[in-house]
Amino acid sequence: MADKLPILDLKRSYAAVKDEIREALERVLESQAFILGREVRTFEEHVESYLEKGTAVGCASGTDALVLALMALDIGPGDEVVTTPYSFFATAGCIARLGATPVFADIDPATYNIDLKHAAAKFGPKTKAFLPVHLFGQMTPVEEIAGLCRERGIAVVEDAAQAFGSWRKVRQERSSRGSSEEGGIEEKIVRAGVMGDIGCYSFFPTKNLGACGDAGMVVAVDAELGKRVGKLRVHGEGAAYLHDEVGLNSRLDAMQAAILDVKFRHLEEWNAERRVLADRYRMFFGMKKLQEFVTLPAELDGNFHIYHQYVVRVPRRDELMARLEARGFSTRIYYPLPLHLQKCFAFLGYRPGDLPESERLSRESLALPLFVGLLPEEQEKLVDAIAEFFYEK
Ligand SMILES: *Cc1c(COP(=O)(O)O)cnc(C)c1O
């Protein structure tokens, strides 16, 4: 183990793909074709077959993916979008940027994802979309609210920026092709991003599928909607230099697509490793009998959590964090201030205490290192240091 354990060490997983990435980059350089084109379409096709549905549109970032998705749904001034206050800023920023109003509903304290009952209670006549986040790699059980959204004409936009490859077992009515005997419930697996109408991914370098720069993707379940996103990504251009509407310049470039396509081949294996690391943390925390102090992340029934982040809840969080830092263990706070209390959203009129679960989590949450290549002894030493902190005195 090195002297210091960083929160994330990308060099370890890079080592496994270095040669493949260099080959891919060489190919792009030789082609001298850098924006969109074959490399991007190939990566999009691979994502489409992995997700088993939808039209994939590579774009410049996860933030742009959210903006493009909301634009394609015609969301703008006067519209409300119900979302979680406990996420990376872009989730709500993209709503406000389009002149629409983010409406925040509190979270489920066990999974850290939006509480669907609270969300449904916020649906009103101006609600145009519901924007759940699959936070830290665990899916929100979107199917529980999908029917209500459909009834009320509310689009479901998934922020899957932290959940590429995460999935969920969904129970649904068996499609009874003809035979009336064949009714009942069947289970099927749905991946993050294609549970609703449109899903958004980020390939920011620190994400579980990360580029070597900014990159993102929109996946629209409906092909027409996908086509619209594709146009919006290139200034709303239909035929060459003819513009049907005003869009963005938010293209994915060929180098990033080529790199992502290489890493994508390792994603299943890397996500599986993340789950092994999470299990191992659970084992070490159990061995140290820390249950009384440290609340480990809960996995919702049916979920394949990919532990994009491993976030625990602890008392005396800031003190613990400082102690760990002094011992050479980096941790992080995701997120220190919920979105409804951010200065830029003061005009929305939320006050401290309005969304108590998200406010409490922001005081207790602590992300521990969890990345591909993390060693068992590193995890063990970190858990030892946490045990020492809580058991002293
Ligand atoms: C990273 C992230 C985004 C934004 O992605 P960028 O590629 O950084 O623009 C949006 N939502 C969530 C939940 C994220 O974690």
Side-chain angles (χ1 to χ4, degrees):
M1 173 174 161
D3 296 349
K4 282 194 175 296
L5 179 61
I7 186 78
L8 173 63
D9 182 359
L10 286 172
K11 288 180 188 149
R12 299 190 196 180
S13 52
Y14 176 59
V17 290
K18 196 171 177 166
D19 294 342
E20 288 174 275
I21 286 184
R22 293 194 172 204
E23 256 171 53
L25 289 180
E26 193 60 37
R27 184 178 72 235
V28 176
L29 284 169
E30 287 303 318
S31 80
Q32 288 290 299
F34 296 113
I35 306 286
L36 295 175
R38 194 60 243 165
E39 297 285 344
V40 171
R41 193 54 210 141
T42 299
F43 176 54
E44 288 169 343
E45 283 166 4
H46 290 162
V47 171
E48 286 166 0
S49 48
Y50 177 74
L51 298 173
E52 294 177 342
K53 57 174 153 177
T55 303
V57 181
C59 65
S61 70
T63 302
D64 275 8
L66 288 162
V67 171
L68 286 165
L70 295 180
M71 282 174 81
L73 293 165
D74 292 311
I75 285 164
D79 298 330
E80 292 181 354
V81 178
V82 174
T83 191
T84 172
Y86 208 85
S87 181
F88 176 64
F89 179 75
T91 303
C94 68
I95 301 167
R97 232 171 81 73
L98 293 174
T101 306
V103 174
F104 298 109
D106 212 354
I107 55 160
D108 169 352
T111 63
Y112 317 148
N113 278 324
I114 193 166
D115 182 314
L116 295 174
K117 283 200 190 70
H118 289 303
K122 302 272 178 172
F123 288 176
K126 292 183 185 165
T127 309
K128 195 107 182 249
F130 171 53
L131 204 174
V133 178
H134 304 307
L135 197 69
F136 303 143
Q138 160 148 256
M139 285 183 70
T140 301
V142 172
E143 79 282 2
E144 288 175 16
I145 205 171
L148 180 67
C149 290
R150 215 173 302 121
E151 240 168 64
R152 304 187 59 159
I154 295 169
V156 177
V157 182
E158 294 170 73
D159 182 341
Q162 300 186 3
F164 206 115
S166 184
W167 52 257
R168 167 160 184 76
K169 229 184 255 166
V170 176
R171 291 157 60 80
Q172 60 171 30
E173 299 268 335
R174 193 185 299 276
S175 45
S176 51
R177 285 184 216 92
S179 88
S180 52
E181 301 294 326
E182 271 298 321
I185 300 292
E186 68 178 352
E187 281 188 335
K188 113 187 141 151
I189 279 163
V190 187
R191 289 193 191 273
V194 290
M195 273 202 118
D197 298 294
I198 192 159
C200 306
Y201 304 93
S202 165
F203 306 123
F204 186 78
T206 63
K207 306 284 164 145
N208 67 311
L209 179 59
C212 297
D214 274 308
M217 181 171 275
V218 179
V219 175
V221 171
D222 175 73
E224 282 306 308
L225 193 60
K227 222 182 260 174
R228 177 128 187 242
V229 174
K231 275 190 193 179
L232 285 166
R233 145 180 94 170
V234 287
H235 295 294
E237 187 179 69
Y241 304 111
L242 299 177
H243 298 265
D244 302 331
E245 60 181 320
V246 179
L248 307 180
N249 166 14
S250 182
R251 301 168 298 219
L252 178 59
D253 65 68
M255 290 245 190
Q256 299 303 343
I259 290 166
L260 286 165
D261 204 47
V262 167
K263 289 191 168 187
F264 188 46
R265 295 200 279 272
H266 298 264
L267 185 70
E268 291 284 279
E269 162 206 334
W270 286 345
N271 282 345
E273 181 173 339
R274 289 177 173 281
R275 289 177 61 80
V276 170
L277 293 168
D279 278 347
R280 196 177 288 134
Y281 266 133
R282 185 170 295 281
M283 180 190 75
F284 285 133
F285 278 112
M287 282 165 58
K288 290 283 169 184
K289 306 215 175 336
L290 280 164
Q291 298 87 327
E292 183 193 334
F293 303 104
V294 183
T295 308
L296 304 182
E299 197 164 314
L300 192 71
D301 204 31
N303 266 358
F304 185 86
H305 191 330
I306 52 115
Y307 295 94
H308 182 274
Q309 301 293 348
Y310 191 82
V311 176
V312 300
R313 308 177 78 124
V314 285
R316 295 159 61 206
R317 191 263 321 268
D318 294 348
E319 226 183 301
L320 171 63
M321 193 180 181
R323 167 71 68 85
L324 293 174
E325 193 63 45
R327 294 279 166 90
F329 298 100
S330 285
T331 57
R332 284 277 190 289
I333 300 172
Y334 304 119
Y335 296 92
L337 186 66
L339 300 175
H340 66 290
L341 299 178
Q342 296 284 345
K343 190 169 166 192
C344 65
F345 291 140
F347 73 97
L348 295 172
Y350 290 89
R351 299 249 164 277
D354 284 349
L355 301 170
E357 290 298 349
S358 59
E359 293 166 35
R360 189 160 69 88
L361 183 58
S362 71
R363 292 189 293 270
E364 297 179 353
S365 73
L366 191 66
L368 309 182
L370 191 155
F371 52 84
V372 171
L374 181 65
L375 304 172
E377 56 267 36
E378 290 172 321
Q379 292 185 279
E380 187 174 19
K381 288 206 169 101
L382 170 57
V383 175
D384 285 350
I386 294 172
E388 211 176 282
F389 174 82
F390 283 115
Y391 283 120
E392 73 194 355
K393 281 181 263 176

